[in-house]
């Protein structure tokens, strides 16, 4: 496909994304979904943990940032409305996800929008800083990590996507304590959850009294020693962002090791199985993809293409990211061929063991797919 055809395809998909988000907020005003059930956002299945609320307004900010918004005033007022309703979450001590909500999704993007308008509102930035300070309260001195929402002894790979909000707060407040916490968390994750082949473990368990690292475990992956593809994608994107914020070469090396694993182990179309070590058959089969892992990895790879010092590797990351986007931009992943399906991207997985959001649309998959589309557009322009 020529570059201009690919660009038009991406613009068409961004239009479809806006149609689906508009349909969601018009059918269910004020509702922040996590995952669909048989293609429908509204259902009574459990959340497990409340970490996704920033992604719905986040998509609206992305439509505006990429200048693809079909109704800029509509998206701006909804982006502000759906973001403002989350401000109280900056004090949330129950989740490790404040970076998803405030750094990736809402207030950091809102602040950037006021800078683009040349009417900076720095109070919006204060909300992001507070979220970073609150997230840092999860730090366990024994063990040197930010604890997951599960328990004090637990470290999750997912937190790599959230630690940037602490670096951000550290820089804006010139607080060396915050900088130390964020750096130590990254180094502990790298030492305990990142394996020699570039794969990742989902969770690490620590001894609370001594801080000793005890073992790798999982909640959403196939086995304790397997590589859950979304965890890998979180770490790839997360370490890349931490490098961008700190210029610490250890973080770039780690992100590149993940990229290498992703490129070597993912099918040529770019969408990984839900777990790279899943069995061939049965309910947990490796034939189940996770489109959300692909969307996250695509953004992580676009970012790495700008960060990598080696030009050949940088081009390989960019090409791989474009390939993922092109695969996701059509059925069976893109839900454009089913008017009854309410999501944008099919074939995501939330929690396969609990039977939550399996082969469905998932809100973070929607968000990172939209982010990947906007990055692809920038590369092709
Ligand atoms: N809890 C984050 C995830 O499901 O990836």
């Amino acid at each position: 496909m020529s570059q201009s055809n690919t660009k038009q395809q991406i613009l068409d998909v961004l239009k479809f994304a806006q149609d689906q988000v508009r349909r969601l907020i018009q059918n269910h005003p004020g509702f922040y979904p996590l995952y669909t059930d048989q293609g429908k956002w509204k259902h009574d299945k459990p959340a497990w943990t409340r970490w996704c609320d920033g992604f719905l307004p986040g998509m609206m900010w992305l439509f505006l940032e990429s200048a693809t918004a079909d109704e800029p005033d509509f998206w701006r007022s909804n982006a502000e409305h759906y973001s403002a309703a989350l401000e109280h979450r900056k004090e949330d001590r129950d989740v490790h996800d404040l970076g998803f909500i405030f750094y990736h999704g809402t207030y950091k993007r809102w602040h950037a929008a006021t800078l683009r308008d040349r009417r900076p509102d720095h109070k919006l930035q204060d909300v992001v800083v507070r979220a970073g300070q609150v997230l840092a309260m999860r730090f366990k001195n024994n063990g040197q990590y930010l604890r997951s929402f599960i328990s004090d002894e637990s470290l999750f790979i997912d937190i790599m996507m959230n630690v940037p909000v602490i670096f951000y707060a550290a820089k804006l407040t010139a607080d060396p304590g915050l900088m130390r916490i964020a750096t130590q968390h990254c180094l502990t994750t790298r030492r305990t959850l990142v394996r020699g082949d570039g794969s990742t473990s989902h969770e690490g368990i620590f001894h609370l009294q001594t801080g000793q690292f005890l073992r790798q475990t999982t909640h959403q992956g196939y086995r304790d020693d397997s590589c859950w593809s979304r965890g890998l994608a979180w770490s790839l994107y997360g370490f890349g962002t931490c490098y961008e914020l700190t210029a610490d070469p250890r973080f770039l090396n780690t992100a590149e090791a993940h990229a290498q694993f992703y490129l070597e182990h993912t099918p040529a179309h770019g969408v990984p199985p839900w777990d790279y070590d899943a069995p061939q058959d049965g309910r947990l089969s490796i034939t189940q993809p996770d489109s959300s892992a692909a969307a996250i990895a695509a953004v992580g790879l676009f970012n790495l293409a700008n960060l990598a010092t080696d030009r050949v590797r940088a081009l390989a990351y960019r090409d791989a990211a474009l390939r993922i986007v092109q695969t996701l931009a059509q059925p069976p992943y893109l839900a454009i061929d089913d008017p009854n399906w309410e999501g944008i991207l099919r074939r995501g997985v939330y929690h396969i063991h609990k039977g939550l959001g399996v082969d469905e649309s998932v809100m973070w998959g929607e968000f990172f797919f939209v982010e990947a589309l906007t990055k692809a557009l920038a590369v092709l322009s």
Side-chain angles (χ1 to χ4, degrees):
M1 204 188 270
S2 74
Q3 185 154 316
S4 67
N5 285 351
T6 307
K7 193 173 161 190
Q8 189 54 52
Q9 180 195 23
I10 289 167
L11 287 169
D12 292 345
V13 177
L14 277 164
K15 175 74 180 81
F16 171 65
Q18 288 172 69
D19 292 343
Q20 294 297 72
V21 177
R22 189 184 291 105
R23 169 156 87 146
L24 165 62
I25 63 175
Q26 287 176 346
N27 287 348
H28 306 295
F31 175 51
Y32 295 81
L34 253 91
Y35 58 90
T36 61
D37 188 30
Q38 296 181 55
K40 306 289 181 215
W41 287 119
K42 197 96 182 187
H43 52 78
D44 55 10
K45 291 192 150 186
W48 188 41
T49 164
R50 235 232 94 109
W51 60 287
C52 286
D53 294 356
F55 296 136
L56 178 57
M59 280 190 279
M60 303 176 197
W61 291 118
L62 285 168
F63 299 147
L64 292 159
E65 273 170 37
S66 60
T68 57
D70 53 7
E71 291 182 90
D73 293 345
F74 171 83
W75 290 119
R76 180 63 181 257
S77 64
N78 276 291
E80 291 188 8
H81 173 76
Y82 275 80
S83 296
L86 300 178
E87 185 185 340
H88 67 284
R89 297 285 307 274
K90 67 184 189 298
E91 300 295 340
D92 190 335
R93 268 65 161 181
D94 294 333
V95 297
H96 57 239
D97 305 298
L98 297 184
F100 281 132
I101 298 171
F102 291 97
Y103 185 89
H104 293 280
T106 60
Y107 274 74
K108 177 166 168 282
R109 294 190 186 279
W110 190 353
H111 178 247
T114 68
L115 295 179
R116 285 197 304 279
D117 298 343
R118 297 180 194 281
R119 295 173 61 183
D121 180 352
H122 297 307
K123 286 204 179 60
L124 299 167
Q125 206 169 31
D126 296 344
V127 175
V128 190
V129 167
R130 179 63 188 158
Q133 290 166 334
V134 170
L135 183 64
M137 293 174 189
R138 307 187 75 80
F139 193 66
K140 303 300 295 177
N141 256 318
N142 290 344
Q144 301 280 294
Y145 59 92
L146 298 158
R147 55 153 286 177
S148 83
F149 80 100
I150 295 280
S151 67
D152 278 351
E153 63 184 2
S154 158
L155 159 67
F156 267 29
I157 195 74
D158 322 27
I159 300 174
M160 280 311 303
M161 286 295 283
N162 292 286
V163 72
V165 77
I166 304 182
F167 281 124
Y168 180 89
K171 286 169 91 161
L172 279 171
T173 57
D175 181 336
L178 286 179
M179 188 59 87
R180 188 187 65 78
I181 284 174
T183 303
Q184 284 308 122
H185 176 84
C186 295
L187 294 178
T188 303
T189 302
R190 178 173 172 265
R191 181 173 64 81
T192 59
L193 301 189
V194 177
R195 305 186 183 120
D197 63 356
S199 71
T200 46
S201 163
H202 183 190
E203 187 189 34
I205 300 295
F206 292 75
H207 190 289
L208 282 181
Q209 276 70 50
T210 64
Q212 182 191 353
F213 173 65
L214 298 175
R215 63 184 179 279
Q216 297 184 347
T217 58
T218 194
H219 291 263
Q220 286 155 280
Y222 173 52
R223 288 193 323 213
D224 293 347
D225 66 341
S226 73
C227 182
W228 173 50
S229 60
R230 193 159 66 255
L232 178 77
W234 288 144
S235 198
L236 191 171
Y237 187 150
F239 270 103
T241 308
C242 292
Y243 173 68
E244 214 173 332
L245 290 166
T246 62
D248 186 327
R250 295 171 292 186
F251 303 160
L252 178 62
N253 289 343
T254 308
E256 291 209 72
H258 294 325
Q260 199 56 37
F261 185 93
Y262 192 92
L263 298 185
E264 279 173 9
H265 292 81
T266 302
H269 53 60
V271 181
W274 73 277
D275 189 299
Y276 287 98
D277 301 293
Q280 290 304 319
D281 319 300
R283 193 177 65 81
L284 304 180
S285 168
I286 197 160
T287 56
Q288 171 63 54
D290 181 4
S291 58
S292 74
I296 298 157
V299 183
L301 288 165
F302 276 128
N303 292 345
L304 266 189
N306 289 330
L307 299 170
T309 47
D310 181 292
R311 193 171 149 64
V312 174
R313 282 207 304 275
L315 282 176
Y317 300 149
R318 194 204 63 169
D319 290 350
L322 281 172
R323 196 164 56 246
I324 296 170
V325 169
Q326 282 179 315
T327 300
L328 296 180
Q330 51 194 314
Y333 299 103
L334 195 73
I336 202 159
D337 56 348
D338 180 355
N340 295 317
W341 195 276
E342 294 178 353
I344 303 162
L345 199 60
R346 285 182 298 229
R347 311 225 69 187
V349 177
Y350 182 22
H351 199 311
I352 207 163
H353 304 295
K354 289 182 186 287
L356 305 179
V358 180
D359 213 24
E360 294 287 345
S361 292
V362 293
M363 196 35 89
W364 61 95
E366 312 280 90
F367 171 81
F368 289 105
F369 180 44
V370 169
E371 187 173 30
L373 289 165
T374 66
K375 300 248 172 196
L377 205 55
V379 162
L380 295 169
S381 292

